[in-house]
Amino acid sequence: MKARRVSGMGRLVTRMGLGLLKGAVVAFLAWGVGLALFAAALPTRILDNQTVTDAIVVLTGGSGRVPAGLDLLSAGMGRTLFLSGVGADVTLNDLDATSAITVPGPLRERVVLGHAAVDTIGNAHETARWMAACGYRSLRLVTAAYHMPRSLVEFRAVMPEVLVIPNPVFPGRSSNGSGGSGVGRRC
């Protein structure tokens, strides 16, 4: 039997295939390193649970966030609770009626709904406008632990002069049963 010679075209196809394979391996390794860095950046606890801020800002969309915000407001950790990203037509009464979250009477006047945001960048811009209108200089940011790194980047980019204290929520760890929302553009 004669050995087959690989034509120039065959060698080119083989080299291209190997090049694509190497590229895929490098891309997979880069993705893996990125995933590991992301996981390492996730908060595992609340680092500062003592500093009182002007506002408590909750990014809506996940379990445990609003109850955590209400608990912080009730504990005096901020003057006002701002819920960013609430549905356009949603009111405080709607939230009380349609969810397991009820805002206690004494706190209702200190809860504000933000209706403009639909994503994290929007949350940051909506909050920045509200904070500026109120003259606030510090906030405690409440969102899920997995969402905190990105949220901090967006908030600090839009409000570099504002003190932002992360207050991660850990969905699934425990439920405290409280919750709430607000209405208007009060400070």
Side-chain angles (χ1 to χ4, degrees), residues 16-162:
M16 287 176 59
L18 288 174
L20 287 173
L21 181 61
K22 287 178 187 176
V25 168
V26 168
F28 179 76
L29 289 174
W31 176 83
V33 168
L35 180 61
L37 291 172
F38 171 77
L42 292 179
T44 57
R45 61 187 176 90
I46 299 168
L47 296 177
D48 178 352
N49 59 6
Q50 300 296 314
T51 303
V52 175
T53 57
D54 294 323
I56 300 159
V57 176
V58 174
L59 306 187
T60 59
S63 67
R65 298 177 190 188
V66 174
L70 280 170
D71 287 347
L72 290 165
L73 185 64
S74 180
M77 296 304 291
R79 291 189 260 175
T80 310
L81 173 62
F82 184 68
L83 299 175
S84 178
V86 176
D89 297 325
V90 175
T91 67
L92 179 58
N93 291 335
D94 293 334
L95 290 171
D96 284 345
T98 61
S99 68
I101 299 166
T102 301
V103 180
L107 299 181
R108 291 179 80 82
E109 292 300 315
R110 297 173 51 202
V111 180
V112 179
L113 294 178
H115 297 284
V118 295
D119 58 19
T120 308
I121 294 170
N123 292 133
H125 286 279
E126 175 179 60
T127 301
R129 286 188 298 274
W130 177 76
M131 295 274 296
C134 293
Y136 288 168
R137 307 291 297 154
S138 62
L139 69 90
R140 181 171 291 277
L141 183 60
V142 180
T143 191
Y146 66 83
H147 189 231
M148 189 59 75
R150 171 154 186 245
S151 299
L152 287 172
V153 167
E154 300 298 347
F155 272 66
R156 288 176 175 155
V158 173
M159 297 177 277
E161 72 289 350
V162 171

